[in-house]
Amino acid sequence: MCLSACHDNGQAAGDAPVAALTQVDVVIRGGTVYDGSGGDPRQQDVVVSDGRIVALTDDASRHYRARRLLDAKGMVVAPGFIDAHAHPKTYITSPDASVRRNLPWLYQGVTTLMVGVDGDGSPRVAEQRRWFDNHGVGTNLAPYVGFGPVRRAVLREDDRHPDADELQAMRELVANGMCEGAFGFSTGLFYAPQSFADTDEVVALAHEAALRGGIYDTHQRDESSYTLGLLDSTREALEIGRRAGLPVHIAHLKALGVDVQGQAGALVRLIDDARTQGQQVSADQYPWLASGTNLKSALFPLWAQDGGRSALLQRLRDPTLRARIGQQMQDNLRRRGGAESLLLTAAGHPWTGKRLSQVAGEWGIDAVDAAIRIVEGDDRPPGVRSAGSVASFNMAEDDVRLLMRQPWVITSSDGSDGHPRQYATFPKKYVDYVQRDQLLGLGEFIHRSTGLSARLLGLHKRGLLRPGYHADIVVFDPVKYAPRADYLHPQELSLGVQSLLVNGRLAIDQGEATDVLAGKLLHHVPTAGSCP
């Protein structure tokens, strides 16, 4: 019963009114918050509603009522990790919605992946966006326009220079992709047919991305001693950025193979000099000593790949050319560290999980002949992982550590099928280089996987825990966060992520993946006036 001295809200006359609590979707309560900036952590609650971060506050219960309350006591709360270079095609284009959740990345705490890397991105970005809007995907994807599809559309697999009309056609493809929301122009100049392009051709196409505010992302022409060599290849990448007028981002920075191990210091000086002169240069790196590639790219000379697979097979049927190819493959095998350094990773083959040296021994033939036999029999359809996929053990730990410490280096997985980096890169970096070696602090590890990545790659309102930012958030156990995948068991999901929000929706809840497909194909806004 309320007497005349009461108001209809139940308060006694003269009392201060009690403000109504604001209804929100999620409150993450009591965690140690690293906001992605590299600053010190704080004990805070994170408030989320309508896919955005509403507030970071000392006590959310004073102002907010949550539809879902997540207890993060003892946990680290951080922006969702950003994978600066990834190959998730097997997962994200699957007809099976459960596969499109992209679990290898979700269980690492990754919420956004840069895709179309190594020059592989389709210029038909709007078409991709419609597909993902209609079908759904578990993580955010940020696309590049790729040099490979652009060059193939005009020049096919041929080793030749474009004429003026062909170059213009390629420029228009890049421009259209940028106008449809690509984040930049990506190349894989190590791979045929992109490797057939000279520097001028790449500059002309990269300039189209520059006009529209994009970056130049490159798997540079040589990370080893195949053609230009590591340092001159890096000089070429820097030249492309200067001449085209856009930031340079070097993918999976490394010194690959016995001829260049130990050159990381010279590589750092080269990039630091460019940055000192005002050029925008950055790189990403994964914490593994084995790269991932395939036997054709690793061992076969480029001239033998001119014209594509059918031309390569025809050359192998010519005894003279086959002998010449084999001779050059021997040198490529040497620079890779020998047949023992190549672990065959493609699933479902008699050689899966074996070193090339072991397979050659079982077959009673030379390692180069074994590689040729695998490539000759690799009649996979387009888009299926090569039967000759390998993990190539060709990096030195000291080089990896030196590059990891540079302030312009961020985290990437280069995650591809058959290599454990697809499932375990971020927790491996945490366990090996934060916990074990203390090469990086926890805040720095998070910064290089979130806020710094978003700034360098052009991801708007992502990578930081700030009001108004998209609610991509990971909650992980700093004791249990760890990799399970290794080279012999590459498809084991990582441990320790308690909760993961993608655009404000729970993709992992209490350590288990949900059925939510909350990811988006992100849209880069082109420079004003640069598109029709």
Side-chain angles (χ1 to χ4, degrees), residues 225-291:
S225 58
Y226 282 92
T227 52
L228 291 181
L230 172 61
L231 298 182
D232 280 343
S233 174
T234 304
R235 292 185 181 98
E236 182 194 36
L238 298 175
E239 178 188 348
I240 290 167
R242 283 194 303 269
R243 290 175 56 193
L246 77 176
V248 174
H249 184 80
I250 301 175
H252 41 62
L253 190 65
K254 65 174 77 72
L256 184 152
V258 296
D259 291 347
V260 297
Q261 287 174 2
Q263 289 189 11
L267 184 59
V268 168
R269 289 190 294 273
L270 184 61
I271 293 173
D272 278 343
D273 286 347
R275 288 169 53 85
T276 299
Q277 294 168 23
Q279 188 170 5
Q280 296 182 61
V281 188
S282 58
D284 59 69
Q285 181 205 40
Y286 52 77
W288 304 85
L289 299 183
S291 64

Side-chain angles (χ1 to χ4, degrees), residues 95-178:
D96 185 341
S98 66
V99 175
R100 289 200 309 280
R101 290 180 296 175
N102 216 10
L103 295 185
W105 279 270
L106 291 182
Y107 274 88
Q108 296 179 68
V110 173
T111 53
T112 300
L113 292 71
M114 304 301 294
V115 296
V117 295
D118 292 344
D120 193 43
S122 169
R124 296 189 293 274
V125 176
E127 179 181 309
Q128 293 180 73
R129 183 169 292 105
R130 286 190 296 271
W131 193 92
F132 285 113
D133 285 347
N134 291 332
H135 292 81
V137 66
T139 56
N140 297 313
L141 308 171
Y144 290 116
V145 176
F147 187 25
V150 168
R151 202 173 204 272
R152 286 187 181 93
V154 178
L155 300 177
R156 297 183 295 182
E157 300 278 348
D158 297 345
D159 182 1
R160 66 180 181 86
H161 299 306
D163 61 28
D165 290 340
E166 290 168 332
L167 184 60
Q168 181 59 28
M170 288 194 287
R171 293 178 68 150
E172 290 174 0
L173 286 171
V174 175
N176 289 340
M178 290 299 303

Side-chain angles (χ1 to χ4, degrees), residues 15 24 267 347 368 404 435:
D15 288 350
V24 295
L267 184 59
V368 163
M404 189 178 293
Q435 288 188 314

Side-chain angles (χ1 to χ4, degrees), residues 160-342:
R160 66 180 181 86
H161 299 306
D163 61 28
D165 290 340
E166 290 168 332
L167 184 60
Q168 181 59 28
M170 288 194 287
R171 293 178 68 150
E172 290 174 0
L173 286 171
V174 175
N176 289 340
M178 290 299 303
C179 288
E180 291 180 356
F183 284 76
F185 177 58
S186 174
T187 64
L189 299 183
F190 176 68
Y191 301 108
Q194 298 177 67
S195 56
F196 302 141
D198 62 17
T199 304
D200 290 343
E201 181 181 331
V202 182
V203 168
L205 302 184
H207 183 63
E208 297 298 328
L211 292 173
R212 293 157 182 88
I215 68 172
Y216 175 62
D217 173 87
T218 183
H219 177 143
Q220 58 179 309
R221 196 179 296 272
D222 196 354
E223 298 172 326
S224 184
S225 58
Y226 282 92
T227 52
L228 291 181
L230 172 61
L231 298 182
D232 280 343
S233 174
T234 304
R235 292 185 181 98
E236 182 194 36
L238 298 175
E239 178 188 348
I240 290 167
R242 283 194 303 269
R243 290 175 56 193
L246 77 176
V248 174
H249 184 80
I250 301 175
H252 41 62
L253 190 65
K254 65 174 77 72
L256 184 152
V258 296
D259 291 347
V260 297
Q261 287 174 2
Q263 289 189 11
L267 184 59
V268 168
R269 289 190 294 273
L270 184 61
I271 293 173
D272 278 343
D273 286 347
R275 288 169 53 85
T276 299
Q277 294 168 23
Q279 188 170 5
Q280 296 182 61
V281 188
S282 58
D284 59 69
Q285 181 205 40
Y286 52 77
W288 304 85
L289 299 183
S291 64
T293 185
N294 59 74
L295 291 173
K296 179 167 67 70
S297 297
L299 300 182
F300 282 75
L302 287 174
W303 63 264
Q305 301 177 52
D306 179 13
R309 174 173 171 77
S310 61
L312 171 63
L313 295 179
Q314 185 174 349
R315 293 183 181 105
L316 288 172
R317 288 192 287 269
D318 182 315
T320 301
L321 292 178
R322 187 185 184 98
R324 182 183 169 197
I325 290 169
Q327 184 178 17
Q328 294 185 30
M329 288 177 66
Q330 288 286 1
D331 193 43
N332 289 339
L333 186 61
R334 176 201 61 77
R335 62 169 47 90
R336 286 274 172 174
E340 183 64 23
S341 71
L342 298 178

